[in-house]
Amino acid sequence: MSAVHRWDLLTREEIAELAPSALLVMPIGSTEQHGPHLVTGTDAHLATIFAERAAERAKRPEDIVIAPTLAYGASHHHLPFGGTLSLGTHTLGLLLEDLLGSAASTGFRRLFIVNTHGGNTVTCSAAAAEAARAHGLVAATALTTDLVDPATIDGPRHGHAGVFETSLMLALDPDTVRVDKLRPSPGGAARIRRRGLVVAEPGRWEELDGFTDDPQSASVERGERALAACVEALAAAFEDIAMLGA
Amino acid sequence: MSAVHRWDLLTREEIAELAPSALLVMPIGSTEQHGPHLVTGTDAHLATIFAERAAERAKRPEDIVIAPTLAYGASHHHLPFGGTLSLGTHTLGLLLEDLLGSAASTGFRRLFIVNTHGGNTVTCSAAAAEAARAHGLVAATALTTDLVDPATIDGPRHGHAGVFETSLMLALDPDTVRVDKLRPSPGGAARIRRRGLVVAEPGRWEELDGFTDDPQSASVERGERALAACVEALAAAFEDIAMLGA
Amino acid sequence: MSAVHRWDLLTREEIAELAPSALLVMPIGSTEQHGPHLVTGTDAHLATIFAERAAERAKRPEDIVIAPTLAYGASHHHLPFGGTLSLGTHTLGLLLEDLLGSAASTGFRRLFIVNTHGGNTVTCSAAAAEAARAHGLVAATALTTDLVDPATIDGPRHGHAGVFETSLMLALDPDTVRVDKLRPSPGGAARIRRRGLVVAEPGRWEELDGFTDDPQSASVERGERALAACVEALAAAFEDIAMLGA
Amino acid sequence: MSAVHRWDLLTREEIAELAPSALLVMPIGSTEQHGPHLVTGTDAHLATIFAERAAERAKRPEDIVIAPTLAYGASHHHLPFGGTLSLGTHTLGLLLEDLLGSAASTGFRRLFIVNTHGGNTVTCSAAAAEAARAHGLVAATALTTDLVDPATIDGPRHGHAGVFETSLMLALDPDTVRVDKLRPSPGGAARIRRRGLVVAEPGRWEELDGFTDDPQSASVERGERALAACVEALAAAFEDIAMLGA
Amino acid sequence: MSAVHRWDLLTREEIAELAPSALLVMPIGSTEQHGPHLVTGTDAHLATIFAERAAERAKRPEDIVIAPTLAYGASHHHLPFGGTLSLGTHTLGLLLEDLLGSAASTGFRRLFIVNTHGGNTVTCSAAAAEAARAHGLVAATALTTDLVDPATIDGPRHGHAGVFETSLMLALDPDTVRVDKLRPSPGGAARIRRRGLVVAEPGRWEELDGFTDDPQSASVERGERALAACVEALAAAFEDIAMLGA
Amino acid sequence: MSAVHRWDLLTREEIAELAPSALLVMPIGSTEQHGPHLVTGTDAHLATIFAERAAERAKRPEDIVIAPTLAYGASHHHLPFGGTLSLGTHTLGLLLEDLLGSAASTGFRRLFIVNTHGGNTVTCSAAAAEAARAHGLVAATALTTDLVDPATIDGPRHGHAGVFETSLMLALDPDTVRVDKLRPSPGGAARIRRRGLVVAEPGRWEELDGFTDDPQSASVERGERALAACVEALAAAFEDIAMLGA
């Protein structure tokens, strides 16, 4: 039995008692196409796993409360592939504003949005900044994969449904990987990689058939290394934030 | 192994193939205070259970796809009690509009929002109406408890964290019920009950201490009767909607 | 001369004096197609009549102030038939929020939205709930026909431009009924009627030619019975609300 | 019996037939404080009267359809006086956008917003411009008093609840004027009057006690002159617009 | 070296010190097509020039702070001609609300929006009214050309890219005028000119080829007269507002 | 005379001709407090300078059009210091959506938002992504300082009004630097620096007195190095994007 608290399994009084000193962890993923080989719930599943395991691994798990995972994110760019239930970025922004405001209203002073979907990143950052300004919350967020060095698994890191995520799912839930569908993305590598440059290129996801790099190179072993690296980095980040405002 | 499909465990191609003929079931609950005796995840948990069991019981479970449960609803009236993570009704409306539009975009033609939280009801109804108008979807919704006759458990039906919900949780997850906190709501019965009259009375939830009627009268047996009645009614409603537009 | 007060015929000081102890009644209807036989102003006209007569019939008419009727409601589903001036539900929600906030600002503590158009129902309920929460108002609303038993006129009750409304208009303003256009709706009865189930079915209004059941069965006598039942129930509901928070 | 058509007294088919060649007239006023001497419904009443009489006086009254008067306008600056039911300008903008879009959808090609409340002016102008752009409508609007020369009644013209409006109400509905409350505004004349300069000065309405100039100088005779001038100018403007796009 | 202050060339402390007693001048123009003969930056350029010169000419230039010019305005009606970067009126409204609120937050008590683009007028007026109401600011605005008598240059005044603006640009920046493209607008004079009547006529800008009257009649001399008149009137208006609330 | 085009100095026809093959560069900065030593227009000034110089240095300057600089950005976190004119992030998002849509409407196919203010970053990224999705634009953006290695000036890079920006202003406009106010930020270094972790900490800007690191270490020489590095990296990024979709 874990020492980490789950919001949904506590009563109002139990939560109110924990709030002032605890770190609130809010996992958010997406429900979106992940190529022909991964299931659409991949991001939401990873957000839940990362949040739970990092909380357990952190120094004081008993000072962490995990909120219910938000399984929906900003995935409008994946709608053309089907299999996607997406929130507009404006909707997601309002949703996070409401949830972070609710957390402050219950008495929390520190929170951490654990995000596994690149499309949510800017909205999570904006929500954290606004919550600090409007409610005085110490508010942190990270796209989990941004926390770890790509060299960890000797491969591309930020891919969508590529070797990184496919390895993770092979390690965590091999039954969800459609092994017979594994093949390299037809779209090749990005045309431009330049430090600090953000490029939105229409039709790029279609060129890639909705996933990046080469999921065929995925392996259980790489997945285990990736999982360990993400959980470790996230646990350390939880400890960083738990310390602030203490 | 259930014949019912789960969106998050399917790939985009598998979902696209099911969409035109399947019924999409979207469970929505809340994360909100449920008195001193029930956990805050009660509604979201019930939405998941009701949706899954009704889908399994329906005539053609293999023609049903269940989306990930939305654990957050419109609970602003419960914020003062703490323990509540609430969406504003405007936010919830946009969220449902986005999700229903996504479902239509993937090819679904029939969907059913299974709702267990009274505060979501008007927003779910409005979203269903709009989805029919904007996307040509057959869109249904029900507050689960509205589907069954209150006489089923010989007691008040629409309560919040009252005998009905407490009985259900005793039957489903007895560990989540704080039995030592069970007591009647101090607020007594509603001052007004008139057919068709909707009354919003400030301070009423505070009078009630955030829950209705008498949870002390809850029992496993009543919970099992309530569960059976809800699942049966919901399964029948699924069959009604699956038939439309066929 | 009626003892009931009309907001538009009072000065600011006269209203301010009445506000703390009076019930504010806000009639809302629609301006929308009502089949080939009823005029588009039917709902707004009925809202005005119901509100005025119920106020006069209530125990203390001198404690009731009636606001100007809002002749426009949420009728987007009727736009394809023409003859319809509709507000989106978001617009209607903001409008009610503004008006209810204004009423609170002037000092009213109890109000009642008298609604005669089904399309407004969820928005009126949401506005009442929000006004209670934000302004501490006792806020009630009813779709007038929901207040009475369908058996009253031995026929279907919730229809749009059907036997119920046509009878009412025959009793109130026979000149507005295009008697030569009366015929049964071609769309037949609803495919599904299940306790608590809300269904939005695209194309359904077109099947019905924009009105329900059989207006040919309408009669002055039925209209008088319907009118009396609605006014009586509404007057009783006014008394209920006037009593709250006293 | 007037030749002018009233939208609310027509069926959908009757409206659809008139729409392509008729001018749609939409009266909008306000429900707001008008000093201690005039009733809060003054603007809405005047909008209705002006629209009806001008339509009757225009060359082809049978080519005019009058929509139900919108009794609510943007009056937030009058809320502190009480007696005011106000829409925010954003709400009013959405409302007009919805109504004008509905009119276009029914087949109208020309419309005229008859406005009697200064606070609505910019929103009416913006809505007309947008309706022209978005729906191809010929869309006109005027603040009725802007159509006539102030010299007409030998006095200040643009006042709120001043000599101009008080004279009009004395001529139209003398019972609504609280004669014993008539007195000059304590705020004196505007500090700045410069061609083309728009000034918003906080606290100015409070200084004026909510009305301008000197209502004591009002008279039935002045009201009749004002009424005749407004109706004549508005009728001529209707003819201008009816001619456009013909 | 001018005595007028420029916000962007001051530090926070320097601005805070000036704010309570200074007039804040905010120039706003547009970036939009100005026919084949004028550059798209015409309005923004004129807003800057007018604001600076009027501030210098005013009695106490050292009590004026000029904010950076907003080069973008509400020009959706010019989008079809190309060369236009336009804000929707809703966006412009929010932008002005944010900037005026910021100004109040820094301690300013008087401000003046100098506007050179007709399409911004109603939004500037609404923003000024709202800033007075919400922040207690004395807030003024003028469309610069509205401040001067059309007779000043013996010609039409309110034109877009017509003789008035072309003359101004000939006087200020002759290199920006494409003299070989000068020709009269093919659309002729407005069909309707009536005191107080606002008309939005679809297709009218296309008829005019995007500019009004006859730019061929423009001259340096007329431009100099127009410039002098605008600057003089604006300087006087600045003095009016600087005096209020002092 | 530069070969680079400026939107505001072109006519509509000249812009339309360039649009299909040119890169549109949109500079955006902020008007916000920059400590006691730098002027509030620093970011807007740098955005203009960086965009112009990088465009001139790029391989084909004649294929670049620069839009007017937007001097206002999302700076709500700086409002408490005064001297700040800020847009909310929602407003800024709408503004960018409108401008990028306008650019697409004029025929541009590639654009680049040059941003010098950290608070705008997430909104610029979101706008670029949306423009690609909605209008098929190749849309890029960069926070200029993110393009260069911090080692370039042997110091901290991302500071606000710190050594980096102060050096730049010393190199570009030494008159704008209040040299007598230079001192180290009292807030010290960030408590947490972790790869990929975003932290919003309430009160942090106040601790820092509104600026970071040590502006006293600024020098003209460092500013020249920083300027050269930013311009070179930006020019290269322009070339990258100009190449896409060619």
Side-chain angles (χ1 to χ4, degrees):
Chain A
M1 171 127 296
S2 163
V4 177
H5 300 281
R6 275 178 53 184
W7 185 300
D8 61 321
L9 295 183
L10 300 174
T11 67
R12 63 187 191 196
E13 279 83 7
E14 293 158 3
I15 293 169
E17 195 183 331
L18 290 165
S21 58
L23 173 70
L24 176 59
V25 169
M26 311 184 89
I28 172 170
S30 75
T31 297
E32 70 182 18
Q33 73 87 16
H34 269 67
H37 54 288
L38 291 188
V39 295
T40 58
T42 298
D43 287 348
H45 185 54
L46 291 177
T48 308
I49 293 286
F50 287 158
E52 288 177 356
R53 300 207 180 169
E56 281 159 16
R57 188 192 167 91
K59 271 193 203 116
R60 299 183 50 81
E62 67 276 18
D63 285 352
I64 295 181
V65 177
I66 304 188
T69 296
L70 179 66
Y72 299 109
S75 310
H76 273 35
H77 48 304
H78 289 306
L79 283 174
F81 294 95
T84 302
L85 291 169
S86 169
L87 305 182
T89 50
H90 177 60
T91 304
L92 181 59
L94 292 177
L95 180 151
L96 291 174
E97 188 183 321
D98 288 353
L99 296 186
L100 272 56
S102 298
S105 145
T106 263
F108 281 93
R109 289 159 46 198
R110 296 170 204 82
L111 61 80
F112 199 116
I113 307 172
V114 173
N115 172 30
T116 51
H117 171 50
N120 298 335
T121 309
V122 296
T123 312
C124 290
S125 294
E130 181 57 20
R133 211 179 57 79
H135 305 296
L137 288 171
V138 174
T141 184
L143 180 65
T144 324
T145 49
D146 279 356
L147 292 170
V148 299
D149 190 311
T152 309
I153 61 156
D154 315 317
R157 179 189 39 161
H158 285 109
H160 169 74
V163 60
F164 186 86
E165 286 189 344
T166 307
S167 295
L168 278 166
M169 292 305 276
L170 281 174
L172 286 166
D173 285 89
D175 287 355
T176 66
V177 183
R178 310 304 189 242
V179 182
D180 56 317
K181 307 284 187 190
L182 290 174
R183 57 191 175 79
S185 165
R191 290 186 188 80
I192 301 176
R193 283 195 189 280
R194 181 176 298 278
R195 179 197 193 91
L197 180 61
V198 175
V199 186
E201 210 182 331
R204 179 64 182 151
W205 281 110
E206 284 72 14
E207 269 179 31
L208 293 166
D209 191 20
F211 63 99
T212 61
D213 60 79
D214 183 4
Q216 271 182 322
S217 312
S219 69
V220 172
E221 188 275 337
R222 282 184 154 176
E224 280 166 358
R225 260 191 291 148
L227 179 62
C230 286
V231 167
E232 183 177 7
L234 194 56
F238 286 175
E239 291 166 7
D240 285 347
I241 303 305
M243 178 197 74
L244 284 182
Chain B
M1 168 126 300
S2 163
V4 177
H5 302 282
R6 274 179 53 184
W7 184 300
D8 61 321
L9 295 182
L10 298 175
T11 66
R12 64 186 189 194
E13 278 82 7
E14 292 159 3
I15 292 169
E17 195 183 330
L18 290 165
S21 57
L23 174 70
L24 177 60
V25 169
M26 310 184 88
I28 173 172
S30 74
T31 297
E32 69 182 18
Q33 73 86 17
H34 269 67
H37 53 288
L38 291 189
V39 294
T40 58
T42 297
D43 288 348
H45 186 54
L46 291 177
T48 307
I49 294 285
F50 287 159
E52 286 176 359
R53 299 209 181 168
E56 280 159 16
R57 189 192 165 92
K59 271 194 202 114
R60 298 183 50 82
E62 68 276 18
D63 286 351
I64 295 181
V65 177
I66 304 188
T69 297
L70 180 67
Y72 300 109
S75 310
H76 273 35
H77 48 304
H78 290 306
L79 283 174
F81 294 96
T84 301
L85 291 168
S86 169
L87 306 181
T89 51
H90 177 60
T91 303
L92 181 59
L94 291 178
L95 181 152
L96 291 174
E97 187 183 321
D98 288 353
L99 295 186
L100 272 55
S102 297
S105 146
T106 264
F108 281 91
R109 290 160 47 199
R110 297 170 202 81
L111 61 82
F112 198 116
I113 306 172
V114 174
N115 172 30
T116 51
H117 171 49
N120 298 334
T121 309
V122 296
T123 312
C124 289
S125 295
E130 181 59 18
R133 211 180 56 80
H135 304 296
L137 287 171
V138 174
T141 185
L143 180 65
T144 322
T145 49
D146 278 356
L147 292 170
V148 299
D149 191 313
T152 308
I153 60 157
D154 314 318
R157 180 189 37 162
H158 284 110
H160 169 74
V163 60
F164 187 86
E165 285 188 344
T166 308
S167 296
L168 277 167
M169 292 305 275
L170 281 174
L172 286 165
D173 285 88
D175 287 356
T176 67
V177 184
R178 310 304 189 242
V179 182
D180 56 316
K181 307 284 188 191
L182 291 174
R183 55 191 176 81
S185 166
R191 292 188 186 80
I192 301 175
R193 285 196 190 278
R194 182 176 298 277
R195 177 199 194 91
L197 180 60
V198 174
V199 186
E201 210 181 331
R204 179 63 182 151
W205 281 109
E206 285 72 14
E207 271 180 28
L208 294 165
D209 190 21
F211 62 100
T212 61
D213 59 78
D214 184 3
Q216 272 182 322
S217 313
S219 69
V220 172
E221 188 274 336
R222 280 184 155 178
E224 280 167 358
R225 260 190 292 146
L227 179 64
C230 286
V231 168
E232 184 177 7
L234 194 56
F238 286 175
E239 292 166 7
D240 286 347
I241 302 305
M243 175 198 78
L244 282 182
Chain C
M1 169 126 299
S2 163
V4 177
H5 301 282
R6 273 179 52 184
W7 185 299
D8 61 321
L9 296 182
L10 299 174
T11 67
R12 63 187 190 194
E13 279 82 8
E14 294 159 3
I15 292 169
E17 196 184 330
L18 291 164
S21 57
L23 174 70
L24 176 60
V25 170
M26 312 185 87
I28 173 170
S30 75
T31 297
E32 70 181 19
Q33 72 87 17
H34 269 67
H37 55 287
L38 290 188
V39 294
T40 57
T42 296
D43 287 348
H45 186 54
L46 291 176
T48 308
I49 294 285
F50 287 158
E52 287 177 358
R53 300 207 180 170
E56 280 158 18
R57 189 193 166 91
K59 271 194 202 116
R60 299 185 50 82
E62 67 276 17
D63 285 353
I64 294 181
V65 177
I66 304 189
T69 297
L70 180 67
Y72 300 108
S75 311
H76 273 36
H77 48 304
H78 290 305
L79 283 174
F81 294 96
T84 302
L85 291 168
S86 169
L87 306 181
T89 50
H90 177 59
T91 304
L92 181 59
L94 291 178
L95 181 151
L96 292 174
E97 186 183 324
D98 288 353
L99 296 186
L100 272 57
S102 298
S105 145
T106 263
F108 281 93
R109 289 160 46 199
R110 295 170 203 83
L111 62 82
F112 198 116
I113 306 172
V114 174
N115 172 30
T116 52
H117 170 50
N120 298 335
T121 309
V122 295
T123 313
C124 289
S125 295
E130 181 58 19
R133 211 178 57 80
H135 304 296
L137 288 170
V138 174
T141 184
L143 179 66
T144 323
T145 49
D146 278 357
L147 292 169
V148 299
D149 191 310
T152 309
I153 60 157
D154 315 319
R157 179 189 39 161
H158 285 108
H160 170 73
V163 59
F164 187 85
E165 286 189 344
T166 307
S167 295
L168 277 166
M169 291 306 275
L170 281 174
L172 286 165
D173 284 270
D175 288 356
T176 66
V177 183
R178 312 300 189 245
V179 182
D180 56 315
K181 307 284 187 190
L182 291 172
R183 58 193 174 79
S185 165
R191 289 185 188 82
I192 302 175
R193 283 194 190 280
R194 180 176 299 276
R195 177 199 195 90
L197 180 60
V198 175
V199 186
E201 211 182 331
R204 179 66 182 150
W205 280 111
E206 285 71 14
E207 270 180 28
L208 294 166
D209 191 20
F211 63 99
T212 60
D213 59 79
D214 184 4
Q216 272 182 322
S217 312
S219 70
V220 172
E221 189 274 336
R222 283 185 153 175
E224 281 166 358
R225 260 191 290 147
L227 180 62
C230 287
V231 167
E232 185 177 6
L234 194 57
F238 286 175
E239 292 166 6
D240 286 346
I241 303 304
M243 178 197 74
L244 283 182
Chain D
M1 169 126 299
S2 163
V4 177
H5 302 281
R6 275 180 51 186
W7 184 300
D8 61 321
L9 295 182
L10 299 175
T11 66
R12 63 186 190 196
E13 278 84 6
E14 293 159 2
I15 292 170
E17 196 184 330
L18 290 165
S21 57
L23 175 69
L24 176 60
V25 170
M26 312 185 87
I28 171 170
S30 75
T31 297
E32 71 182 17
Q33 73 87 16
H34 269 68
H37 54 288
L38 291 188
V39 295
T40 57
T42 297
D43 287 349
H45 185 54
L46 291 177
T48 308
I49 293 286
F50 286 159
E52 287 177 359
R53 299 209 182 169
E56 280 158 16
R57 189 193 165 92
K59 272 195 200 111
R60 298 184 50 82
E62 67 276 17
D63 285 352
I64 295 180
V65 177
I66 304 187
T69 296
L70 180 67
Y72 300 108
S75 310
H76 273 35
H77 47 306
H78 289 306
L79 283 174
F81 294 95
T84 302
L85 291 169
S86 169
L87 307 181
T89 50
H90 177 60
T91 304
L92 181 59
L94 291 178
L95 180 151
L96 291 174
E97 187 182 322
D98 288 354
L99 295 186
L100 272 57
S102 298
S105 144
T106 263
F108 281 92
R109 290 160 44 198
R110 295 171 204 80
L111 61 81
F112 198 116
I113 307 172
V114 174
N115 172 30
T116 52
H117 170 50
N120 298 334
T121 309
V122 296
T123 312
C124 289
S125 295
E130 181 59 19
R133 211 178 57 79
H135 305 296
L137 287 171
V138 174
T141 183
L143 180 65
T144 322
T145 50
D146 278 356
L147 292 170
V148 299
D149 191 312
T152 308
I153 61 157
D154 314 319
R157 181 189 36 162
H158 284 109
H160 170 73
V163 60
F164 186 87
E165 285 188 345
T166 308
S167 296
L168 277 167
M169 292 306 275
L170 281 175
L172 286 166
D173 285 87
D175 288 357
T176 66
V177 183
R178 311 300 191 245
V179 182
D180 57 316
K181 307 284 188 191
L182 290 173
R183 56 191 175 81
S185 165
R191 290 186 188 81
I192 300 176
R193 283 195 191 279
R194 182 176 298 278
R195 176 198 196 91
L197 180 60
V198 175
V199 186
E201 212 181 329
R204 179 64 183 151
W205 281 110
E206 284 71 14
E207 270 180 28
L208 294 165
D209 190 21
F211 63 100
T212 61
D213 60 79
D214 184 4
Q216 271 181 322
S217 312
S219 71
V220 172
E221 189 274 336
R222 281 184 154 175
E224 279 166 359
R225 260 191 290 147
L227 179 62
C230 287
V231 167
E232 185 177 4
L234 194 55
F238 286 176
E239 292 166 7
D240 286 346
I241 302 306
M243 178 197 76
L244 283 181
Chain E
M1 170 127 297
S2 163
V4 177
H5 301 281
R6 275 179 51 184
W7 184 300
D8 60 321
L9 295 182
L10 299 174
T11 66
R12 64 187 191 194
E13 278 83 8
E14 293 159 2
I15 293 169
E17 195 184 329
L18 292 165
S21 57
L23 174 69
L24 176 61
V25 169
M26 311 184 88
I28 172 170
S30 75
T31 297
E32 70 182 19
Q33 72 87 15
H34 269 67
H37 55 288
L38 290 189
V39 295
T40 57
T42 297
D43 286 349
H45 186 53
L46 291 177
T48 307
I49 293 285
F50 287 159
E52 287 177 357
R53 300 207 181 171
E56 280 159 17
R57 188 192 165 93
K59 272 195 202 115
R60 298 183 50 82
E62 68 276 18
D63 285 353
I64 296 181
V65 177
I66 304 188
T69 297
L70 180 67
Y72 300 109
S75 311
H76 272 36
H77 48 304
H78 290 305
L79 283 175
F81 294 95
T84 301
L85 291 168
S86 170
L87 306 181
T89 51
H90 177 60
T91 303
L92 181 59
L94 291 178
L95 180 152
L96 292 174
E97 186 182 325
D98 287 354
L99 295 186
L100 273 55
S102 298
S105 145
T106 263
F108 282 92
R109 289 158 47 198
R110 296 169 203 82
L111 62 82
F112 198 117
I113 307 173
V114 174
N115 172 29
T116 51
H117 170 50
N120 298 334
T121 310
V122 296
T123 313
C124 289
S125 295
E130 181 59 18
R133 211 180 56 80
H135 304 296
L137 288 171
V138 174
T141 184
L143 180 64
T144 323
T145 50
D146 279 357
L147 292 170
V148 299
D149 191 310
T152 309
I153 61 156
D154 316 317
R157 181 190 37 165
H158 285 109
H160 169 74
V163 60
F164 187 86
E165 286 188 344
T166 308
S167 296
L168 277 166
M169 292 306 274
L170 280 174
L172 286 166
D173 284 271
D175 288 356
T176 66
V177 182
R178 311 302 189 242
V179 183
D180 57 316
K181 307 284 188 191
L182 291 173
R183 57 192 175 78
S185 165
R191 290 186 187 82
I192 301 176
R193 283 195 190 280
R194 181 176 299 278
R195 178 197 194 92
L197 180 60
V198 175
V199 186
E201 209 181 330
R204 179 63 182 153
W205 281 110
E206 283 73 13
E207 269 180 30
L208 294 165
D209 191 21
F211 63 100
T212 61
D213 60 78
D214 184 3
Q216 271 181 323
S217 311
S219 70
V220 172
E221 188 276 335
R222 282 185 153 176
E224 280 167 359
R225 261 191 290 146
L227 179 61
C230 286
V231 168
E232 186 177 5
L234 194 55
F238 286 175
E239 292 166 8
D240 286 347
I241 302 306
M243 179 198 74
L244 284 181
Chain F
M1 170 128 295
S2 163
V4 177
H5 302 280
R6 275 180 51 185
W7 184 300
D8 61 321
L9 295 181
L10 299 174
T11 66
R12 64 187 190 195
E13 278 83 7
E14 293 160 1
I15 292 169
E17 196 183 330
L18 291 165
S21 57
L23 173 70
L24 177 60
V25 170
M26 312 184 88
I28 172 170
S30 75
T31 297
E32 70 181 18
Q33 73 87 15
H34 269 67
H37 54 289
L38 291 189
V39 295
T40 58
T42 297
D43 288 348
H45 185 54
L46 291 177
T48 308
I49 294 285
F50 287 158
E52 286 177 358
R53 299 207 181 170
E56 280 158 17
R57 189 191 165 92
K59 272 194 201 115
R60 298 183 50 82
E62 68 276 17
D63 285 353
I64 295 181
V65 177
I66 304 188
T69 296
L70 180 67
Y72 299 109
S75 311
H76 273 36
H77 47 305
H78 290 305
L79 284 174
F81 294 95
T84 302
L85 291 169
S86 169
L87 306 181
T89 50
H90 177 59
T91 303
L92 181 60
L94 291 178
L95 180 152
L96 291 174
E97 186 182 323
D98 288 354
L99 295 186
L100 272 56
S102 298
S105 145
T106 264
F108 281 92
R109 290 159 44 198
R110 295 170 204 83
L111 62 81
F112 197 115
I113 307 173
V114 174
N115 172 30
T116 51
H117 171 50
N120 299 333
T121 309
V122 295
T123 313
C124 290
S125 295
E130 181 59 18
R133 212 179 55 79
H135 304 297
L137 288 171
V138 174
T141 184
L143 180 65
T144 322
T145 49
D146 279 356
L147 293 170
V148 299
D149 191 312
T152 309
I153 61 156
D154 315 318
R157 180 188 39 161
H158 284 109
H160 169 73
V163 59
F164 186 86
E165 285 188 345
T166 307
S167 295
L168 277 167
M169 293 305 276
L170 280 175
L172 287 166
D173 284 86
D175 287 356
T176 66
V177 183
R178 311 302 190 244
V179 182
D180 57 315
K181 307 285 187 189
L182 290 173
R183 56 191 175 81
S185 165
R191 290 185 187 81
I192 300 175
R193 284 195 191 279
R194 182 176 298 279
R195 177 199 195 92
L197 179 60
V198 175
V199 185
E201 210 182 330
R204 178 65 181 150
W205 281 110
E206 285 72 13
E207 270 180 28
L208 294 166
D209 190 21
F211 63 100
T212 61
D213 59 79
D214 184 4
Q216 271 181 323
S217 312
S219 70
V220 172
E221 189 275 336
R222 279 185 156 176
E224 280 166 359
R225 260 191 291 147
L227 179 62
C230 286
V231 167
E232 185 176 7
L234 195 55
F238 286 176
E239 292 166 8
D240 286 348
I241 303 304
M243 179 197 75
L244 284 182

